[in-house]
Amino acid sequence: MDIPEKTLFNIVLQGFLTISLVIAGALMVVGSPYGSQTSYRGRLAINGQAAWIIMELVSPTTLLRAYLTYETSIEFMSASNALVALWLVHYANRAVVYPLRQPARKPMHIGIMLSAVVFNIVNGYLNGRWLSAFAPAEYHHDLSGFIATHYLRVPLGLALFAAGMCGNVIHDNILAGLRRTGSKRRYSIPAGGLFGWVSCPHFFCEAIEWLGFAVLADSPAAWAFLLNVLCNLVPRAYFIHRWYLATFPDDYPRTRRAMIPFVL
């Protein structure tokens, strides 16, 4: 028996929401699965840079497939096309520009890459299908009319998305610069930007970026993605912050928070 598309969508969405809480709980137990907290070199280790590119490219690929394969009439200058464009801009940086500009990455366990691939398939499907199949009709027609109707939501969402993405790029570059300095120590204390307040401003900015996207899309898929982002990044930020404190016990600023300035 065929499952109606909307029913399948809702089942996948509920599973996506549930797994976000499982991920948060698991990460609070095992810590960050890659980066400075790991040093896996076993038989299942693969090139970290290649693994990153592969797993991140899955997201825009799946979103485009889910978006373009549903038969519906969407104007070129529409809100749904604009949201897809923002998604592609983010992943052009995240999947291609970012890893190619970074110093060599540590090997990654193939299980971590495959779990990220599954996550990105589900996330890309949910967001792409909602924008093409389940979004209100106003998302598929004149973009100027959509902006006029949502005259507060659109500029707020765009501002959050742009600020988050720019901040993410800036702080990623700061971290990459530390690893290019040629210091005898592999890791150093980052400074500049929001590093004065938190240990993981790149995580904070990424959360702000996807908050902006969720405000713009105002879809269950986008809000579910934001929840997943927080459930993934907050535990990782906690462990990274703890690692900094343990690695630089005398020099690391005790006033810094883990991810959210003055809060967490």
Side-chain angles (χ1 to χ4, degrees):
M1 182 177 65
D2 292 336
I3 301 176
E5 175 84 14
K6 182 64 172 177
T7 302
L8 175 62
F9 178 89
N10 288 332
I11 292 172
V12 175
L13 178 63
Q14 290 303 314
F16 194 56
L17 289 168
T18 302
I19 200 66
S20 66
L21 302 178
V22 175
I23 289 172
L27 288 176
M28 287 305 296
V29 174
V30 303
S32 182
Y34 50 85
S36 58
Q37 285 72 65
T38 61
S39 57
Y40 182 73
R41 295 291 191 277
R43 293 173 60 186
L44 296 179
I46 58 176
N47 180 276
Q49 187 178 58
W52 182 276
I53 293 173
I54 291 169
M55 70 188 197
E56 292 295 329
L57 280 177
V58 169
S59 181
T61 303
T62 306
L63 180 130
L64 283 175
R65 188 179 189 283
Y67 185 68
L68 297 174
T69 54
Y70 189 83
E71 294 184 8
T72 187
S73 177
I74 301 176
E75 294 181 17
F76 179 73
M77 291 297 293
S78 63
S80 57
N81 278 354
L83 287 163
V84 169
L86 290 179
W87 190 282
L88 297 181
V89 167
H90 169 85
Y91 278 100
N93 173 69
R94 200 67 183 158
V96 181
V97 177
Y98 165 73
L100 294 180
R101 294 188 68 244
Q102 298 297 303
R105 301 181 66 90
K106 285 184 176 181
M108 184 183 295
H109 193 292
I110 192 171
I112 299 299
M113 187 198 77
L114 293 177
S115 65
V117 166
V118 172
F119 174 89
N120 284 327
I121 288 173
V122 173
N123 189 40
Y125 162 76
L126 287 172
N127 281 277
R129 209 55 151 190
W130 189 88
L131 288 171
S132 62
F134 307 122
E138 63 175 340
Y139 283 71
H140 296 166
H141 300 299
D142 181 41
L143 178 59
S144 60
F146 182 89
I147 294 173
T149 302
H150 304 284
Y151 57 89
L152 294 177
R153 196 177 99 201
V154 171
L156 173 61
L158 279 175
L160 289 170
F161 185 90
M165 183 168 181
C166 289
N168 189 254
V169 170
I170 289 169
H171 294 101
D172 279 342
N173 286 341
I174 290 174
L175 289 174
L178 289 177
R179 295 195 287 271
R180 294 193 190 101
T181 58
S183 170
K184 292 182 180 180
R185 292 194 303 179
R186 180 171 176 80
Y187 294 102
S188 304
I189 299 175
L194 293 178
F195 278 111
W197 288 274
V198 293
S199 296
C200 300
H202 48 316
F203 289 175
F204 174 67
C205 290
E206 184 164 354
I208 293 298
E209 182 181 1
W210 290 117
L211 171 61
F213 186 87
V215 168
L216 285 167
D218 196 26
S219 70
W223 288 111
F225 182 27
L226 176 62
L227 176 62
N228 268 275
V229 167
L230 292 173
C231 286
N232 183 286
L233 296 185
V234 170
R236 287 176 57 201
Y238 167 76
F239 278 98
I240 290 171
H241 180 65
R242 207 169 69 167
W243 177 87
Y244 274 124
L245 290 171
T247 305
F248 306 101
D250 299 323
D251 301 325
Y252 200 73
R254 297 287 164 171
T255 56
R256 286 190 190 181
R257 299 294 187 178
M259 177 173 159
I260 303 174
F262 312 112
V263 177
L264 176 67

